[in-house]
Amino acid sequence: MSRQPHKPYVWNFCELLSRNEIRDLQLYRLKECIKRCMKVPFYQKVFKEGGITPDSFKSVDDIRKLPFTTKQDLRNNYPLGFLAVPREKIVRYHGSTGTTGKSTIIAYTQNDLEIWAELCARFLVSGGLQAHHTVQVAFGYGLFTGGFGLHYGIEHVGAAVIPAASGNTKRQLMLLKDLQADALVCTPSYALTLAEAIQAEKIERSELALKLAFLGSEPWTESMRQALENSLKILGSNNYGLSEIIGPGVSGECPERSGMHFQEDNFIIECIDPDTLEPVPEGTPGELVISSIMREAMPMLRYRTRDIATIYSGKCGCRRETLRMSRVTGRSDDMLIIRGVNVFPSQIEEALLTIEGAAPHYQILVSRPKTMDEVRVRVEIVPEIFSDKMTDMTQIKQKIEYAIRQATGLSMQVELLPPMTLERFEGKAKRVIDERKLV
């Protein structure tokens, strides 16, 4: 698809602050955040043990005087032990999905919700959204933050919302076609499902008005973006967020597509080695650590996200000077260790999508039948390439195995599957099945 980047557009003047202005604002807001955190028993103990007061911070770098906050800390104080305001000031509750354990509850004041809408509006506008557009939101509208966060961000811009929610693909297609949605919000994996359904239903691209897609909530690769843009004929933008910090709106892409810009007037960003817990050099992958310095209800200090990404600085072509992050390449706590080698599912995805005929639908099965880890990668083949000829399939299988070995340094068995074999997901795709008994 031939694309012309739209003219860079900035929603809020804070997006164009200089580095010095950003740091000065962060320091002031950090001190104010420390005052609010003094009402949280968990942080009260931390401050008392470390002799911490707002005056302890002479620069933003002094935030390293504080210990990290983890998801386990939130679970230990479930459900509302991290509240920094009286409960009567809470107007909304959300929560994490609980896919790695007990769900965590996140509370919002009215001001928190207004900030959240503002942050989402920023990356939506930067990604091309305009007030006259109509946006179909195919995210869930429950405790999950994605649906509501994007919904109110879209309305903040002035665009119309189709709150389609997740699932019911036939209805999604009907709404896209009948209401002529200009933009789509969903996970990358569900966007692939919609693209396949459009093809299966023989819907002509001219029948749809789609121009943009704002995709997030799960890691995805540049190869997958290209596949989606080519199949849906849209411009796809990446964004990042997590419920413990605020939800979507922590960072998002500009038209330069050279990384996702952090909203640094609201967040202090660190990137650490998950083993040593020391800062990593710029340009080196590490675990993101985020402090939400503007939250009222539940501010977080040095929250370990477990998300692995790379941080970049420098003025962007869009005029912003905020730090940028790469795509999330994996998680420090769900990283696969195969025969002593660290492997992220995104590495395997990147490898298989370089092979003509391999579809972006795959499943990784890890087992340990005896003493050695074994990995089997199940990969769908696109309909026009799939063949009953053994020689054709053997060649593709060998190419994929070689690409995976080059990407990971490990040999893995590849199983080729007919189109539409693997389960499709309306939310986050479940890519890995680990059958080892590692506990």
Side-chain angles (χ1 to χ4, degrees):
M1 174 187 175
S2 176
R3 300 184 305 274
Q4 293 294 325
H6 67 275
K7 183 179 178 180
Y9 188 79
V10 175
W11 180 254
N12 186 295
F13 77 93
C14 285
E15 298 175 74
L16 296 180
L17 294 176
S18 69
R19 287 309 303 165
N20 287 338
E21 289 172 327
I22 289 170
R23 299 283 283 183
D24 289 345
L25 182 57
Q26 285 180 326
L27 180 58
Y28 170 77
R29 289 181 168 177
L30 173 59
K31 291 181 177 182
E32 294 300 306
C33 182
I34 294 296
K35 294 176 184 177
R36 294 195 297 277
C37 287
M38 285 179 169
K39 301 173 184 176
V40 180
F42 175 84
Y43 288 125
Q44 285 175 1
K45 182 180 179 182
V46 167
F47 297 160
K48 183 176 181 181
E49 291 175 350
I52 300 293
T53 69
D55 293 333
S56 301
F57 301 89
K58 306 303 181 186
S59 77
V60 176
D61 291 336
D62 287 337
I63 197 169
R64 294 174 193 162
K65 295 178 180 179
L66 297 168
F68 298 105
T69 305
T70 67
K71 193 157 192 170
Q72 189 59 50
D73 294 326
L74 295 178
R75 289 175 180 149
N76 292 344
N77 291 274
Y78 178 89
L80 299 173
F82 269 77
L83 270 187
V85 298
R87 188 159 178 175
E88 55 266 27
K89 288 194 175 182
I90 302 304
V91 298
R92 175 85 63 75
Y93 294 101
H94 280 287
S96 67
T97 56
T99 53
T100 57
K102 193 172 186 179
S103 176
T104 52
I105 301 299
I106 310 299
Y108 299 75
T109 65
Q110 184 60 44
N111 189 57
D112 288 336
L113 292 183
E114 291 170 5
I115 288 174
W116 191 18
E118 161 70 21
L119 296 178
C120 288
R122 292 183 191 180
F123 78 74
L124 288 165
V125 167
S126 188
L129 187 67
Q130 299 179 42
H132 65 269
H133 285 155
T134 296
V135 188
Q136 186 157 319
V137 179
F139 269 149
Y141 273 80
L143 287 174
F144 170 60
T145 54
F148 282 98
L150 272 294
H151 182 116
Y152 289 112
I154 294 162
E155 290 187 336
H156 197 52
V157 173
V161 181
I162 305 171
S166 60
N168 199 335
T169 299
K170 287 198 177 221
R171 186 185 64 180
Q172 299 279 358
L173 296 181
M174 179 190 73
L175 293 172
L176 284 172
K177 183 177 175 182
D178 294 350
L179 295 179
Q180 291 291 284
D182 302 281
L184 173 68
V185 168
C186 63
T187 62
S189 54
Y190 192 57
L192 280 171
T193 298
L194 289 173
E196 289 177 338
I198 289 169
Q199 185 176 23
E201 295 291 326
K202 295 183 170 53
I203 297 174
E204 294 294 329
R205 186 58 183 82
S206 58
E207 298 179 66
L208 302 174
L210 275 180
K211 307 175 188 68
L212 307 168
F214 298 93
L215 307 172
S217 189
E218 65 184 10
W220 56 308
T221 62
E222 189 61 28
S223 299
M224 184 179 284
R225 167 155 48 196
Q226 291 171 3
L228 280 168
E229 290 188 332
N230 290 333
S231 59
L232 287 174
K233 304 296 186 292
I234 48 88
L235 186 70
S237 293
N238 200 4
N239 64 84
Y240 171 78
L242 61 162
S243 61
E244 292 84 0
I245 295 300
I246 198 166
V250 174
S251 68
E253 284 185 315
C254 72
E256 299 293 319
R257 300 191 356 163
S258 59
M260 291 176 276
H261 288 270
F262 285 108
Q263 311 288 5
E264 287 192 90
D265 55 316
N266 276 258
F267 309 107
I268 295 174
I269 308 301
E270 302 171 75
C271 194
I272 65 168
D273 183 314
D275 295 321
T276 67
L277 305 184
E278 293 298 320
V280 299
E282 181 181 330
T284 302
E287 180 184 330
L288 296 180
V289 174
I290 304 178
S291 299
S292 55
I293 52 177
M294 287 293 286
R295 289 287 305 277
E296 287 184 342
M298 295 180 75
M300 288 285 130
L301 295 172
R302 303 197 79 198
Y303 182 75
R304 289 190 63 181
T305 68
R306 301 292 183 175
D307 290 325
I308 302 295
T310 304
I311 301 299
Y312 306 97
S313 64
K315 192 170 184 178
C316 180
C318 71
R319 299 179 290 154
R320 294 173 178 85
E321 295 186 30
T322 47
L323 293 176
R324 285 165 284 159
M325 65 176 282
S326 69
R327 296 172 178 277
V328 171
T329 57
R331 286 182 56 83
S332 63
D333 57 355
D334 72 359
M335 174 180 66
L336 293 169
I337 302 178
I338 309 297
R339 301 194 287 275
V341 177
N342 297 341
V343 179
F344 290 111
S346 59
Q347 290 176 280
I348 296 173
E349 176 179 300
E350 193 75 60
L352 70 89
L353 287 180
T354 64
I355 306 302
E356 183 180 0
H361 297 290
Y362 65 97
Q363 187 179 67
I364 303 166
L365 293 92
V366 187
S367 61
R368 187 176 291 170
K370 295 181 180 178
T371 59
M372 190 74 70
D373 292 337
E374 293 183 3
V375 184
R376 182 158 52 102
V377 182
R378 309 178 75 209
V379 183
E380 282 189 15
I381 300 301
V382 297
E384 54 269 30
I385 298 294
F386 188 77
S387 170
D388 290 328
K389 292 183 180 179
M390 181 68 70
T391 54
D392 292 347
M393 293 297 95
T394 299
Q395 288 180 355
I396 295 177
K397 178 177 180 292
Q398 290 173 344
K399 288 179 180 179
I400 294 174
E401 288 175 343
Y402 178 78
I404 290 174
R405 187 163 60 251
Q406 290 295 103
T408 67
L410 294 171
S411 295
M412 301 183 186
Q413 282 187 307
V414 170
E415 178 186 355
L416 304 185
L417 302 175
M420 304 303 294
T421 300
L422 293 173
E423 181 182 1
R424 299 305 194 252
F425 298 94
E426 295 167 358
K428 294 184 181 181
K430 298 178 180 65
R431 304 291 195 194
V432 180
I433 299 176
D434 195 338
E435 299 174 336
R436 298 173 295 178
K437 306 298 182 183
L438 301 178
V439 179

